[in-house]
Amino acid sequence: MQAKARVRAARLHLWKRYGMGLLFMLPWIIGFAMFVIIPISWSLFMSFNKVQVAVGGFKYEWVGLRNFRDAFLKDNIFPIELITYFQEMLLMVPIIVIFALLISLMLNQKFPGRFIFRALFFLPVIFATGQVLSELFLQGAGDIPFLEQYNLLPIVEEYVGKQFAETVMAVLGKAILILWYSGVQILIFIAGFQTISPTIYEAVRIDGASPWDSFWKITLPACVPFISLNVLYTIIDLFTFPLNPVLKHIKDNMFKVDTGYGYASALAWIYFGLIFALIALVLWLFNRSLKTRRVHS
């Protein structure tokens, strides 16, 4: 009886300690299960099945890893679009982060009307999202006319080779995206600059350091965590881009009779796996860099 009483008292203690918090979290837990865990689990299940629309619902036929094999062995579009888009992203991510760093350095200086310029660089993030961005690009708002006007393709082929020329031209053609997609990164960098004490700059200025020395020795090392944050944000942002050809290919296969939801789910999981691997690699590189800096400091 005493043992049962102790167990009951322990449960009552745990309930008093954590019960109220769990009650507050309950709506989020229910929503997360309904709209995240169940759809993701269902998508994983469908990726191992051939899903057909039948009378009264869906018909599932277990095919194992066949959908994943077909994505690379039978699909003539998916691997090519995947490789091409990854090449473009590997160029665009550093360009966007470096552009955001340079603009944030300028916007961090003290000059009249600074808040207006900060707002101007952030406004495209608010307006150019989702369907609005798709409509703007369909109407040619994101095109750069001088690429065709001055016939830059032969010049690019001469310097980077024909195998990379199309990728470089595709990135140049999306230069407007670099401006539209750098607002959040600029904001993060400006917030990061506020964490550096002005007294440090005053001290190195007294010691005779130039602005260039202050940037390389103080600003840039202090911004490494914010650079990693911006790289991760940009990777995720670009891989969920509304005009992403890989996502379009997945959606197209979703409604085809011979492929359907099962094959489209397998493509989506392959795409997710590659993005996850890229993010893990970026995190590992930045963590290694930070550990090396701590050892040498």
Side-chain angles (χ1 to χ4, degrees), residues 228 232 276-292:
S228 64
L232 291 177
F276 186 80
L278 180 61
I279 290 173
L281 177 65
V282 170
L283 280 175
W284 179 76
L285 288 173
F286 276 108
N287 283 334
R288 187 180 176 187
S289 171
L290 286 173
K291 285 180 182 176
T292 307

mmCIF file of all heavy atoms in Angstrom, residues 228 232 276-292:
data_model
loop_
_atom_site.group_PDB
_atom_site.id
_atom_site.type_symbol
_atom_site.label_atom_id
_atom_site.label_comp_id
_atom_site.label_asym_id
_atom_site.label_seq_id
_atom_site.Cartn_x
_atom_site.Cartn_y
_atom_site.Cartn_z
ATOM 1 N N SER A 228 26.779 31.490 -41.294
ATOM 2 C CA SER A 228 26.254 30.115 -41.353
ATOM 3 C C SER A 228 24.738 30.107 -41.309
ATOM 4 O O SER A 228 24.085 29.350 -42.041
ATOM 5 C CB SER A 228 26.823 29.290 -40.202
ATOM 6 O OG SER A 228 26.396 29.810 -38.961
ATOM 7 N N LEU A 232 22.316 28.662 -44.377
ATOM 8 C CA LEU A 232 21.247 27.669 -44.173
ATOM 9 C C LEU A 232 19.895 28.226 -44.613
ATOM 10 O O LEU A 232 19.116 27.539 -45.286
ATOM 11 C CB LEU A 232 21.188 27.274 -42.689
ATOM 12 C CG LEU A 232 22.361 26.465 -42.168
ATOM 13 C CD1 LEU A 232 22.210 26.206 -40.679
ATOM 14 C CD2 LEU A 232 22.460 25.148 -42.909
ATOM 15 N N PHE A 276 18.832 17.636 -47.188
ATOM 16 C CA PHE A 276 19.230 17.349 -45.805
ATOM 17 C C PHE A 276 20.734 17.078 -45.730
ATOM 18 O O PHE A 276 21.421 17.561 -44.815
ATOM 19 C CB PHE A 276 18.444 16.145 -45.290
ATOM 20 C CG PHE A 276 18.667 15.843 -43.846
ATOM 21 C CD1 PHE A 276 18.000 16.563 -42.867
ATOM 22 C CD2 PHE A 276 19.559 14.854 -43.457
ATOM 23 C CE1 PHE A 276 18.210 16.297 -41.524
ATOM 24 C CE2 PHE A 276 19.780 14.578 -42.126
ATOM 25 C CZ PHE A 276 19.105 15.304 -41.157
ATOM 26 N N ALA A 277 21.257 16.327 -46.713
ATOM 27 C CA ALA A 277 22.697 16.035 -46.731
ATOM 28 C C ALA A 277 23.504 17.314 -46.935
ATOM 29 O O ALA A 277 24.548 17.507 -46.293
ATOM 30 C CB ALA A 277 22.999 15.031 -47.848
ATOM 31 N N LEU A 278 23.029 18.192 -47.820
ATOM 32 C CA LEU A 278 23.738 19.456 -48.062
ATOM 33 C C LEU A 278 23.736 20.330 -46.806
ATOM 34 O O LEU A 278 24.773 20.917 -46.441
ATOM 35 C CB LEU A 278 23.070 20.199 -49.224
ATOM 36 C CG LEU A 278 23.694 21.537 -49.611
ATOM 37 C CD1 LEU A 278 25.134 21.347 -50.061
ATOM 38 C CD2 LEU A 278 22.883 22.211 -50.717
ATOM 39 N N ILE A 279 22.596 20.413 -46.123
ATOM 40 C CA ILE A 279 22.515 21.214 -44.889
ATOM 41 C C ILE A 279 23.427 20.627 -43.810
ATOM 42 O O ILE A 279 24.123 21.360 -43.096
ATOM 43 C CB ILE A 279 21.048 21.278 -44.405
ATOM 44 C CG1 ILE A 279 20.225 22.134 -45.369
ATOM 45 C CG2 ILE A 279 20.958 21.841 -42.997
ATOM 46 C CD1 ILE A 279 18.754 22.121 -45.071
ATOM 47 N N ALA A 280 23.435 19.290 -43.699
ATOM 48 C CA ALA A 280 24.309 18.641 -42.707
ATOM 49 C C ALA A 280 25.777 18.929 -43.013
ATOM 50 O O ALA A 280 26.577 19.181 -42.098
ATOM 51 C CB ALA A 280 24.049 17.137 -42.709
ATOM 52 N N LEU A 281 26.141 18.926 -44.309
ATOM 53 C CA LEU A 281 27.528 19.216 -44.697
ATOM 54 C C LEU A 281 27.904 20.660 -44.345
ATOM 55 O O LEU A 281 28.990 20.916 -43.803
ATOM 56 C CB LEU A 281 27.689 18.983 -46.199
ATOM 57 C CG LEU A 281 29.061 19.316 -46.794
ATOM 58 C CD1 LEU A 281 30.131 18.393 -46.221
ATOM 59 C CD2 LEU A 281 29.041 19.216 -48.320
ATOM 60 N N VAL A 282 26.986 21.600 -44.616
ATOM 61 C CA VAL A 282 27.246 23.013 -44.300
ATOM 62 C C VAL A 282 27.410 23.202 -42.793
ATOM 63 O O VAL A 282 28.335 23.890 -42.324
ATOM 64 C CB VAL A 282 26.113 23.900 -44.848
ATOM 65 C CG1 VAL A 282 26.239 25.332 -44.328
ATOM 66 C CG2 VAL A 282 26.124 23.903 -46.371
ATOM 67 N N LEU A 283 26.518 22.579 -41.999
ATOM 68 C CA LEU A 283 26.613 22.683 -40.542
ATOM 69 C C LEU A 283 27.931 22.109 -40.035
ATOM 70 O O LEU A 283 28.579 22.684 -39.150
ATOM 71 C CB LEU A 283 25.434 21.948 -39.897
ATOM 72 C CG LEU A 283 24.109 22.702 -39.860
ATOM 73 C CD1 LEU A 283 23.016 21.806 -39.317
ATOM 74 C CD2 LEU A 283 24.235 23.946 -38.984
ATOM 75 N N TRP A 284 28.335 20.968 -40.606
ATOM 76 C CA TRP A 284 29.599 20.341 -40.180
ATOM 77 C C TRP A 284 30.783 21.244 -40.491
ATOM 78 O O TRP A 284 31.688 21.414 -39.662
ATOM 79 C CB TRP A 284 29.752 18.996 -40.878
ATOM 80 C CG TRP A 284 31.024 18.296 -40.522
ATOM 81 C CD1 TRP A 284 31.312 17.632 -39.371
ATOM 82 C CD2 TRP A 284 32.212 18.220 -41.343
ATOM 83 N NE1 TRP A 284 32.603 17.136 -39.422
ATOM 84 C CE2 TRP A 284 33.169 17.484 -40.617
ATOM 85 C CE3 TRP A 284 32.538 18.688 -42.613
ATOM 86 C CZ2 TRP A 284 34.431 17.203 -41.122
ATOM 87 C CZ3 TRP A 284 33.803 18.424 -43.119
ATOM 88 C CH2 TRP A 284 34.731 17.690 -42.378
ATOM 89 N N LEU A 285 30.785 21.848 -41.670
ATOM 90 C CA LEU A 285 31.892 22.729 -42.052
ATOM 91 C C LEU A 285 31.976 23.951 -41.142
ATOM 92 O O LEU A 285 33.062 24.341 -40.695
ATOM 93 C CB LEU A 285 31.728 23.173 -43.507
ATOM 94 C CG LEU A 285 31.985 22.091 -44.567
ATOM 95 C CD1 LEU A 285 31.636 22.605 -45.948
ATOM 96 C CD2 LEU A 285 33.441 21.638 -44.524
ATOM 97 N N PHE A 286 30.824 24.569 -40.837
ATOM 98 C CA PHE A 286 30.838 25.754 -39.976
ATOM 99 C C PHE A 286 31.204 25.394 -38.537
ATOM 100 O O PHE A 286 31.928 26.141 -37.877
ATOM 101 C CB PHE A 286 29.484 26.456 -40.026
ATOM 102 C CG PHE A 286 29.359 27.393 -41.192
ATOM 103 C CD1 PHE A 286 28.549 27.082 -42.266
ATOM 104 C CD2 PHE A 286 30.050 28.580 -41.234
ATOM 105 C CE1 PHE A 286 28.437 27.934 -43.351
ATOM 106 C CE2 PHE A 286 29.962 29.439 -42.305
ATOM 107 C CZ PHE A 286 29.147 29.116 -43.375
ATOM 108 N N ASN A 287 30.706 24.256 -38.035
ATOM 109 C CA ASN A 287 31.067 23.842 -36.679
ATOM 110 C C ASN A 287 32.568 23.563 -36.573
ATOM 111 O O ASN A 287 33.212 23.904 -35.585
ATOM 112 C CB ASN A 287 30.278 22.582 -36.288
ATOM 113 C CG ASN A 287 28.857 22.919 -35.917
ATOM 114 O OD1 ASN A 287 28.558 24.024 -35.485
ATOM 115 N ND2 ASN A 287 27.962 21.975 -36.090
ATOM 116 N N ARG A 288 33.108 22.942 -37.621
ATOM 117 C CA ARG A 288 34.542 22.662 -37.635
ATOM 118 C C ARG A 288 35.340 23.960 -37.658
ATOM 119 O O ARG A 288 36.355 24.095 -36.960
ATOM 120 C CB ARG A 288 34.863 21.813 -38.870
ATOM 121 C CG ARG A 288 36.276 21.319 -38.905
ATOM 122 C CD ARG A 288 36.525 20.488 -40.139
ATOM 123 N NE ARG A 288 37.910 20.084 -40.239
ATOM 124 C CZ ARG A 288 38.424 19.461 -41.272
ATOM 125 N NH1 ARG A 288 37.646 19.148 -42.293
ATOM 126 N NH2 ARG A 288 39.691 19.123 -41.300
ATOM 127 N N SER A 289 34.851 24.937 -38.466
ATOM 128 C CA SER A 289 35.539 26.226 -38.533
ATOM 129 C C SER A 289 35.517 26.933 -37.177
ATOM 130 O O SER A 289 36.530 27.503 -36.748
ATOM 131 C CB SER A 289 34.862 27.085 -39.606
ATOM 132 O OG SER A 289 35.351 28.405 -39.560
ATOM 133 N N LEU A 290 34.349 26.890 -36.501
ATOM 134 C CA LEU A 290 34.242 27.549 -35.190
ATOM 135 C C LEU A 290 35.148 26.882 -34.153
ATOM 136 O O LEU A 290 35.784 27.558 -33.344
ATOM 137 C CB LEU A 290 32.779 27.512 -34.729
ATOM 138 C CG LEU A 290 31.828 28.466 -35.459
ATOM 139 C CD1 LEU A 290 30.389 28.222 -35.028
ATOM 140 C CD2 LEU A 290 32.204 29.924 -35.185
ATOM 141 N N LYS A 291 35.216 25.535 -34.190
ATOM 142 C CA LYS A 291 36.084 24.827 -33.233
ATOM 143 C C LYS A 291 37.556 25.165 -33.484
ATOM 144 O O LYS A 291 38.332 25.361 -32.544
ATOM 145 C CB LYS A 291 35.862 23.320 -33.370
ATOM 146 C CG LYS A 291 34.563 22.839 -32.749
ATOM 147 C CD LYS A 291 34.406 21.345 -32.926
ATOM 148 C CE LYS A 291 33.076 20.880 -32.334
ATOM 149 N NZ LYS A 291 32.847 19.435 -32.577
ATOM 150 N N THR A 292 37.930 25.261 -34.772
ATOM 151 C CA THR A 292 39.323 25.613 -35.104
ATOM 152 C C THR A 292 39.666 27.013 -34.606
ATOM 153 O O THR A 292 40.748 27.263 -34.070
ATOM 154 C CB THR A 292 39.517 25.534 -36.625
ATOM 155 O OG1 THR A 292 39.091 24.253 -37.081
ATOM 156 C CG2 THR A 292 40.974 25.731 -36.999
#
